[in-house]
Amino acid sequence: YREALEACQRAARRMKNLTESLLELARLDAGQEPMKQERFDLLRIANECIDMVRPLAAERGIQIHCEVAAIECLGDAGRIGQVVTNLLTNAIHFNRDQGEVRLSARSEAGAVVLTVADTGQGIPVQDVPHLSERFYRADKSRSRIQGRNGLGLAICKAIVDAHRGSIEVSSQVGVGSTFTVRLPQARLDTAATT
């Protein structure tokens, strides 16, 4: 009975997470998720996200390197933190044991370019164009077993799109993947609003 109840509890948690993710996507699609337009320090957000995922990385001996300077972005700090956390979690999840994850950011032509690179299994070239599709899983066998629902990158893309940014991926099987996010950079004459 205990095992049956625990299995039901796990299934209920998965369904709750799936439902919440679907509702979030629906609100983002409908423009009902307001995005704040405020200045925020990307380094602070990056450090908070790294602190959150560090125990997950430590379980597998994965090193996280942060090469983010203090750069002011314009947008919703909480939502951008959600994107960074998701990309870091994926970089850890699909990495090899004792691997590395590198988070970096730079200013480039009025934009902030943030990259999350891993030394993991990589993504087959035919899967790359579909990664931000809902429920798409490049590694179908592992993701089902580990309870992943294939919505994380779709949510990331919706958040980045709402910031008038872009997200791209480059990958090589057996070498690793790099996700690149471009976001508006706060200009000196931009007033912060909440």
Side-chain angles (χ1 to χ4, degrees), residues 31-57:
Q32 295 174 347
E33 280 292 305
M35 297 289 161
K36 296 177 185 173
Q37 288 297 306
E38 59 189 5
R39 293 172 185 255
F40 65 91
D41 180 8
L42 187 59
L43 177 58
R44 179 182 61 82
I45 298 299
N47 284 330
E48 288 173 2
C49 296
I50 289 170
D51 287 344
M52 193 179 312
V53 301
R54 197 176 301 280
L56 182 62

Side-chain angles (χ1 to χ4, degrees), residues 94 118-125 128 169-179:
F94 294 107
D118 65 57
T119 56
Q121 62 195 36
I123 303 163
V125 67
V128 170
V169 62
S170 62
S171 188
Q172 187 175 348
V173 174
V175 176
S177 302
T178 301
F179 285 81

Side-chain angles (χ1 to χ4, degrees), residues 109-156:
V112 173
V113 180
L114 178 130
T115 61
V116 177
D118 65 57
T119 56
Q121 62 195 36
I123 303 163
V125 67
Q126 68 271 15
D127 290 321
V128 170
H130 305 287
L131 290 177
S132 62
E133 293 175 9
R134 291 157 196 203
F135 301 110
Y136 190 83
R137 297 179 181 112
D139 185 352
K140 290 148 184 75
S141 63
R142 287 184 60 190
S143 55
R144 277 205 183 96
I145 291 167
Q146 296 169 349
R148 302 175 69 82
N149 60 31
L151 291 173
L153 290 176
I155 291 172
C156 287

